[in-house]
């Protein structure tokens, strides 16, 4: 009796299932397809000519990202990765990077080889890095003017690589070294760094960054702002006084961030400041004169340790040069710079050895 009833139920249930399958199989197929699509998205797919093809999420740098010196072939692969025909589909990185630490310790004594031992695994030749787990929101070229500060390269790389990685930026680090022993010309080196980095772009922002300035808080995000941004607002060398409250509120030195459009609008940095001082004030004036404004984050986050060093010879001409800068800027900057450069991809940065002319070269009428 019970057995008959159970069999009846089973047969009835079977009929219902068959009926259900007959009516709803298209819905089932659709749901299966949807599930498959979601799985593909999470696994990381490669889109070729508009079709999603399942593929492992790998990068195809043939000659090894850590081989020391990057060949043209590697660069070609890097370019191809950015081209639309080969696109890794990843979710965008979050607006607030999840791994930020806040206040940071600055290590002032560390050798480049020690940093290489740690960072070589993650950083590609020439100091290139981008997050693998999401599509970076910003592409950043970091440009460091440099000469004869070997002991500061290790601390800079040791601090900046993890700092930029925690911010999930797609970045590259360029050291622009001045060839020869003439007076140092920071601004010319920054122009060279910009013009060379542009060729490997596109970059959204350019950080013009002294080698001895190390940010103390990784909430100080290296994202472009709608206006040029002064980064080194409160520095150890100034007892962390807010630059906005300094007797003259026009300090633009140490480190700053500009988009390509900002820099082109002011014709880059002035070429005529040799020795210490003036070139950053000159940039401040260019920005004002072209109707832009300097932005700053609060000194609480925009804090920097400056590694101490011997001072460079002061440029006594700087006040005279600053006086006429606004009328002069279209004839003095990116558009008038002559240089030659030798590029070497080192494991943790791109080294540009720049011949930028001599302080004694005639500058025509632009100095006066
Ligand atoms: N710099 C350099 N070698 C020099 C002079 C300057 O590498 O002989 C670079 C370095 O990046 C340095 C920046 O130019 O951080 C600014 O120069 P300096 O530190 O002398 O100026 P400060 O900001 O300390 O007044
Ligand atoms: Mn310094």
């Amino acid at each position: 009796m019970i057995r008959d009833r159970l069999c009846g139920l089973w047969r009835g249930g079977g009929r219902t299932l068959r009926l259900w399958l007959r009516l709803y199989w298209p819905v089932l197929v659709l749901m299966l397809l949807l599930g498959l699509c979601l799985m593909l998205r999470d696994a990381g797919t490669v889109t070729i000519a508009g079709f999603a093809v399942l593929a492992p999420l790998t990068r195809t740098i043939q000659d090894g990202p850590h081989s020391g010196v990057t060949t043209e072939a590697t660069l070609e692969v890097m370019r191809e990765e950015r081209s639309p025909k080969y696109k890794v589909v990843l979710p965008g990185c979050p607006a607030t990077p999840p791994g930020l630490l806040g206040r940071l310790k600055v290590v002032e004594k560390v050798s480049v080889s020690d940093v290489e031992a740690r960072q070589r695994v993650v950083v590609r030749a020439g100091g290139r890095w981008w997050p693998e787990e999401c599509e970076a929101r910003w592409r950043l070229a970091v440009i460091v003017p440099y000469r004869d500060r070997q002991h500061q390269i290790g601390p800079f790389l040791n601090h900046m690589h993890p700092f930029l990685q925690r911010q999930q930026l797609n970045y590259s680090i360029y050291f622009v070294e001045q060839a020869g022993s003439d007076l140092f010309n920071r601004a010319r080196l920054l122009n060279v760094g910009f013009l060379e980095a542009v060729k490997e772009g596109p970059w959204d922002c350019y950080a013009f960054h002294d080698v001895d300035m190390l940010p103390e808080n990784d909430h100080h995000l290296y994202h472009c702002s709608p206006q040029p941004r002064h980064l080194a607002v409160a520095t150890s060398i100034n007892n962390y006084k807010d630059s906005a409250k300094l007797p003259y509120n026009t300090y633009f030195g140490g480190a700053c961030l500009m988009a390509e459009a900002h820099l082109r609008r002011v014709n880059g940095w002035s070429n005529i400041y040799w020795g210490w001082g003036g070139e950053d004030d000159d940039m401040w004036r260019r920005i004002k004169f072209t109707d832009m404004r300097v932005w700053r984050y609060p000194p609480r986050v925009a804090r920097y340790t400056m590694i101490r060093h011997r001072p460079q010879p002061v440029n006594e001409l700087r006040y005279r040069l600053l006086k006429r800068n606004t009328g002069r800027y279209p004839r003095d900057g990116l558009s008038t710079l002559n240089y030659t450069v030798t590029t070497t991809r080192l494991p943790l940065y791109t080294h540009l050895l720049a011949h930028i002319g001599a302080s004694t070269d005639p500058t025509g009428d632009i100095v006066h």
Side-chain angles (χ1 to χ4, degrees), residues 115-283:
V115 189
E116 268 180 28
R118 262 172 280 128
Q119 285 289 327
R120 235 183 141 111
V121 190
V122 282
V123 176
R124 286 161 203 273
R128 278 290 281 122
W129 187 90
W130 60 83
E132 299 281 346
E133 67 281 9
C134 55
E135 193 66 47
R137 286 172 170 254
W138 300 96
R139 291 161 302 189
L140 171 77
V142 180
I143 294 162
V144 185
Y146 175 80
R147 187 175 65 189
D148 201 18
R149 296 267 183 103
Q150 185 61 36
H151 62 289
Q152 294 182 339
I153 301 180
F156 181 87
L157 297 170
N158 180 54
H159 198 80
M160 293 310 290
H161 273 298
F163 174 90
L164 299 168
Q165 288 161 15
R166 281 194 299 274
Q167 296 194 358
Q168 296 183 312
L169 299 164
N170 178 341
Y171 71 85
S172 196
I173 297 181
Y174 298 88
F175 270 66
V176 196
E177 179 172 2
Q178 180 170 339
S181 56
D182 205 339
L183 289 163
F184 195 68
N185 190 321
R186 178 174 177 267
R188 279 196 193 201
L189 298 175
L190 297 180
N191 279 339
V192 171
F194 170 76
L195 291 170
E196 290 302 304
V198 161
K199 294 179 192 164
E200 297 178 358
W203 307 104
D204 302 306
C205 353
Y206 295 81
F208 299 104
H209 214 294
D210 285 1
V211 68
D212 54 19
M213 283 287 181
L214 304 178
E216 293 183 16
N217 191 321
D218 60 6
H219 288 284
H220 192 31
L221 298 178
Y222 278 30
H223 295 173
C224 271
S225 298
Q227 300 286 323
R229 182 141 66 92
H230 180 224
L231 292 170
V233 176
T235 62
S236 57
I237 202 79
N238 270 331
N239 293 322
Y240 298 104
K241 262 191 226 119
D242 181 349
S243 357
K245 294 188 184 131
L246 290 177
Y248 73 116
N249 166 26
T250 62
Y251 177 52
F252 200 64
C256 64
L257 259 182
M258 293 173 85
E260 179 171 349
H262 298 150
L263 201 74
R264 296 226 183 255
R265 188 169 166 134
V266 295
N267 193 19
W269 298 79
S270 168
N271 294 317
I272 60 175
Y273 292 84
W274 297 88
W276 181 90
E279 84 294 341
D280 47 351
D281 300 317
D282 186 287
M283 176 54 90

Side-chain angles (χ1 to χ4, degrees), residues 6 16 30 58 78 103 142 153 164 194 207 214 230 248 278 319 335 338 342 344:
L6 276 177
T16 316
L30 270 179
T58 52
M78 285 159 77
R103 287 296 292 268
V142 180
I153 301 180
L164 299 168
F194 170 76
L214 304 178
H230 180 224
Y248 73 116
Y319 295 117
S335 60
N338 289 316
T342 313
T344 315

Side-chain angles (χ1 to χ4, degrees), residues 12-71:
R15 262 202 308 277
T16 316
L17 186 64
R18 276 200 298 280
L19 187 71
W20 199 87
L21 275 179
R22 204 172 299 143
L23 289 177
Y24 294 108
W25 70 265
V27 179
L28 262 178
V29 171
L30 270 179
M31 280 169 66
L32 276 172
L33 275 177
L34 191 70
L36 196 66
C37 283
L38 286 175
M39 269 170 57
L40 285 183
R41 197 195 60 178
D42 291 345
T45 54
V46 174
T47 307
I48 297 171
F51 294 98
V53 180
L54 182 59
L57 191 59
T58 52
R59 309 242 179 209
T60 53
I61 304 261
Q62 300 301 332
D63 52 348
H66 316 302
S67 56
V69 176
T70 303
T71 61

